[in-house]
């Protein structure tokens, strides 16, 4: 007779107690264990009010939208997006248009509110990542503050000499790192006065409690041996930003290895990802695109998911199904159903490497209405604490030090991410019910998963069972 193994519900706190002490001990291998919630466009107060839920959902980090002083557009309107003639005005991207590098803006909150949010994160064991963007200012560069101009030695010295010329050849490193992108004038990030001023902002974020940074448009800031702008003496911004060098007697307030720092280095030709990876973790943008293709087709084989499609080490990648750019800019990912995004996230979070990021879509959003309730500052929808998301985040932590084996059904609909002999995540990315029969290294027996209370049987080196459409199941070996 098969022995029955039943997991505690995902709301239980003693999952570790049911893991197998009787299994042969496997040597630990390097793994990534953390997960990020991108609380896109949530205010600092909203993030703080939801910190317990974020922690209970198993997220190690919460990523904020930019905290810097920004351009006040559309009379300070608070809509995520508005068209001409709309009664409610606003654009989410104004916080990506800095006019100063101080904490606080009209969209997300004040420095005091940021500090209170960080205090709440500390209370619940969550770390705060801040989206930072030293690469450019607001489109209306005349709106930058006198203090910022003065720090750089004058308004003309704040920008690259090439900083008002549009990038026309994105794969040309000189244009890419010194030119104007989307009408945003390019800051002379090698100006020592600017570096000192910007680093004061970063250190103030750290003093308030931030413990990580996402560098927006990172590939548009030059590496040391990239072509120099005529106003730049050295391409040394990344050495300053990551604490390898000081500027005017000021250094990064904490060692870089105690912070989670990653860069938005979107992949293309001549991007030099491996060189950026020497400074920070990087976004796995090509892999995200491939995963979206697989989700849209409901088949693992619809694109190349067998490797990370990145020259940087897998442990230095930040992975996602979608980002705020793929959702809110070109709406490249916005047509994916919430359930498709969720199953893609389960796949990423169950894996050995990559730090998965879960993008919080707006409350009330649908595939016909991407903006949902259309309010900056409001909490996103409930998906970040969906039971499947909670279960895989906990699975991720429990699988520390376990190797990975991916098995896929012949039709590509079912993915099994097996972690050593300790557990397996089963994911149906299709819209049809699937009958499972895949290889497994787990001990034979009958298992009931914690999310849907569905039974799976392991016998003769295979796992079998039935998976509902667009659903995932988490199983631990005892």
């Amino acid at each position: 007779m098969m022995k029955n193994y039943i997991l505690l519900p995902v709301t239980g706190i003693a999952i570790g107690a049911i893991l197998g002490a009787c299994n042969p001990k496997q040597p630990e291998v390097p793994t990534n264990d953390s997960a990020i919630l991108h609380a896109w466009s949530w205010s600092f107060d909203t993030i703080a009010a939801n910190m317990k839920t974020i922690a209970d959902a198993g997220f190690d980090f919460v990523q904020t939208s930019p905290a810097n002083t920004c351009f006040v557009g559309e009379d300070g309107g608070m809509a995520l997006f508005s068209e001409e003639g709309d009664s409610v005005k606003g654009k989410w991207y104004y916080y990506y248009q800095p006019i100063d590098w101080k904490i606080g803006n009209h969209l997300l909150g004040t420095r005091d509110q940021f500090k209170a949010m960080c205090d709440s994160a500390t209370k619940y064991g969550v770390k705060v990542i801040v989206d930072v963007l030293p690469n450019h200012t607001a489109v209306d560069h005349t709106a930058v503050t006198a203090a910022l101009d003065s720090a750089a030695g004058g308004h003309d010295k704040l920008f690259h000499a090439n900083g008002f010329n549009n990038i026309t050849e994105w794969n040309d490193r000189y244009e890419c790192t010194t030119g104007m992108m989307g009408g945003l004038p390019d800051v002379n990030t090698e100006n020592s006065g600017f570096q000192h001023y910007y680093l004061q902002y970063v250190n103030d974020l750290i003093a308030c409690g931030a413990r990580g940074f996402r560098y927006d448009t990172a590939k548009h800031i030059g590496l040391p041996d990239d072509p120099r702008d005529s106003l730049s003496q050295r391409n040394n911004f990344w050495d300053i930003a990551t604490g390898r060098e000081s500027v005017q007697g000021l250094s990064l307030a904490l060692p870089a290895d105690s912070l989670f720092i990653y860069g938005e280095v979107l992949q293309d030709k001549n991007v030099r990802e491996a060189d950026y990876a020497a400074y920070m973790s990087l976004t796995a943008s090509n892999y995200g695109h491939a995963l979206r293709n697989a989700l849209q087709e409901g088949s693992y084989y619809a694109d190349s998911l067998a490797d990370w499609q990145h020259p940087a080490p897998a442990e230095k990648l930040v992975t996602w199904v979608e980002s705020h750019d793929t959702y809110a800019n070109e709406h490249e990912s916005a047509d994916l159903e919430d359930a498709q995004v969720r199953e893609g996230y389960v796949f990423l979070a169950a894996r050995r490497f990559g730090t998965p990021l879960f993008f919080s879509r707006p409350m009330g959003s649908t595939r016909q209405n991407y903006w949902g309730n259309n309010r900056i500052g409001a909490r996103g929808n409930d998906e970040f604490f969906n039971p499947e998301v909670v279960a895989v985040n906990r699975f991720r932590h429990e699988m520390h030090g376990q190797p990975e084996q991916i098995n896929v059904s012949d039709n590509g609909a079912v993915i099994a991410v097996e972690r050593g002999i300790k557990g397996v995540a089963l994911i149906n990315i299709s819209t049809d019910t699937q009958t499972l029969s895949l290889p497994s290294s787990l001990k034979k027996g009958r298992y009931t998963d914690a999310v849907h209370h569905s039974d799976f049987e392991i016998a003769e080196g295979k796992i079998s069972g039935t998976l509902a459409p667009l659903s995932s199941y988490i199983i631990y070996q005892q």
Side-chain angles (χ1 to χ4, degrees):
M1 176 181 290
M2 296 292 183
K3 186 176 179 181
N4 291 330
Y5 297 99
I6 301 177
L7 297 183
L8 295 177
V10 294
T11 54
I13 61 173
I15 289 178
I18 64 173
L19 299 181
C22 60
N23 285 327
K25 184 173 178 61
Q26 289 186 310
E28 289 197 349
V29 296
T31 55
N32 294 131
D33 299 330
S34 298
I36 304 167
L37 173 67
H38 185 184
W40 180 69
S41 291
W42 301 19
S43 71
F44 304 143
D45 283 350
T46 298
I47 295 173
N50 287 275
M51 198 67 73
K52 184 178 187 303
T53 304
I54 294 168
D56 288 347
F59 289 102
D60 306 271
F61 292 96
V62 59
Q63 179 177 306
T64 76
S65 293
N68 50 267
T69 312
C70 66
F71 186 77
V72 180
E74 314 213 12
D75 299 319
M78 295 295 288
L80 285 167
F81 192 79
S82 64
E83 303 280 3
E84 186 175 350
D86 289 351
S87 58
V88 179
K89 300 293 185 184
K91 298 282 191 302
W92 63 270
Y93 50 69
Y94 284 122
Y95 46 58
Y96 281 94
Q97 296 196 26
I99 59 171
D100 201 351
W101 274 274
K102 300 288 185 185
I103 302 176
N105 58 57
H106 69 290
L107 295 171
L108 303 181
T110 66
R111 183 184 185 279
D112 286 345
Q113 289 168 314
F114 179 84
K115 175 67 166 61
M117 177 197 67
C118 291
D119 290 344
S120 178
T122 300
K123 176 182 176 181
Y124 290 105
V126 177
K127 296 179 181 180
V128 173
I129 295 173
V130 181
D131 200 348
V132 290
L133 44 147
N135 177 64
H136 55 261
T137 66
V139 172
D140 181 2
H141 60 92
T142 65
V144 303
T145 65
L148 177 56
D149 278 343
S150 177
H155 190 74
D156 58 330
K157 293 184 176 60
L158 177 61
F159 303 94
H160 281 132
N162 189 49
F164 292 95
N165 295 320
N166 285 313
I167 300 171
T168 58
E169 179 47 69
W170 295 89
N171 298 313
D172 180 286
R173 289 298 292 170
Y174 175 74
E175 286 196 33
C176 179
T177 60
T178 65
M180 183 165 63
M181 178 190 65
L184 300 163
D186 203 70
V187 168
N188 181 7
T189 44
E190 295 74 56
N191 178 299
S192 62
F194 167 77
Q195 290 174 343
H196 184 270
Y197 193 84
Y198 169 76
L199 196 56
Q200 287 180 306
Y201 168 65
V202 168
N203 284 348
D204 195 26
L205 291 168
I206 291 172
C208 288
R211 289 299 178 266
F213 302 99
R214 179 240 184 215
Y215 272 88
D216 183 70
T217 60
K219 77 173 183 180
H220 295 281
I221 299 177
L223 292 160
D225 57 347
D226 270 327
R228 286 189 295 107
D229 185 84
S230 63
L231 290 179
S232 302
Q233 294 184 338
R234 293 176 59 214
N235 283 339
N236 66 339
F237 176 83
W238 292 119
D239 290 292
I240 300 296
T242 58
R244 299 184 183 191
E245 292 183 12
S246 61
V247 57
Q248 298 179 13
L250 183 66
S251 298
L252 187 67
L254 288 174
D257 60 6
S258 70
L259 303 167
F260 189 93
I261 302 175
Y262 79 99
E264 183 202 20
V265 179
L266 300 182
Q267 294 171 263
D268 202 345
K269 299 175 183 177
N270 201 26
V271 174
R272 303 187 62 187
E273 298 101 320
D275 296 316
Y276 280 104
Y279 289 96
M280 66 196 116
S281 296
L282 303 177
T283 52
S285 56
N286 282 0
Y287 198 77
H289 180 78
L291 180 55
R292 289 191 296 277
N293 286 343
L295 294 169
Q296 287 166 343
E297 296 297 324
S299 172
Y300 178 91
Y301 301 118
D303 211 314
S304 177
L305 298 180
D307 67 75
W308 291 108
Q309 304 187 34
H310 206 290
E315 58 268 29
K316 299 203 72 170
L317 300 179
V318 172
T319 59
W320 62 51
V321 179
E322 62 180 350
S323 69
H324 70 277
D325 284 320
T326 68
Y327 185 86
N329 274 340
E330 300 299 325
H331 307 304
E332 176 193 349
S333 65
D335 285 337
L336 286 173
E337 296 292 339
D338 287 346
Q340 291 175 296
V341 173
R342 186 170 66 246
E343 303 321 319
Y345 177 79
V346 171
F347 169 64
L348 293 174
R351 298 199 63 183
R352 172 185 173 188
F353 284 132
T355 300
L357 176 145
F358 189 92
F359 169 72
S360 176
R361 289 177 163 186
M363 183 74 79
S365 59
T366 67
R367 311 298 44 89
Q368 294 74 44
N369 172 20
Y370 302 146
W371 307 113
N373 294 353
N374 201 22
R375 183 75 179 171
I376 293 173
R379 200 201 79 189
N381 67 18
D382 295 350
E383 284 294 301
F384 76 94
F385 60 91
N386 181 283
E388 291 186 342
V389 172
V390 176
V392 78
N393 283 345
R394 293 183 179 179
F395 177 83
R396 183 174 185 81
H397 295 123
E398 292 292 343
M399 294 302 115
H400 169 77
Q402 295 298 308
E404 167 192 286
Q405 175 64 45
I406 297 177
N407 296 310
V408 184
S409 61
D410 289 342
N411 66 357
V414 178
I415 308 168
V417 182
E418 197 163 82
R419 299 295 299 275
I421 57 171
K422 197 172 182 181
V424 61
L426 306 171
I427 308 133
N428 180 5
I429 62 172
S430 79
T431 56
D432 297 318
T433 299
Q434 298 292 328
T435 300
L436 168 73
S437 180
L438 285 174
S440 178
S441 300
L442 274 65
K443 186 171 61 178
K444 70 178 182 178
R446 183 164 292 160
Y447 298 81
T448 301
D449 94 287
V451 187
H452 304 288
H453 308 292
S454 296
D455 290 336
F456 293 87
E457 187 172 309
I458 298 176
E460 298 180 354
K462 288 186 176 294
I463 184 168
S464 59
T466 301
L467 291 78
L470 292 173
S471 61
S472 59
Y473 305 80
I474 303 297
I475 291 173
Y476 299 93
Q477 171 74 72
Q478 293 202 47

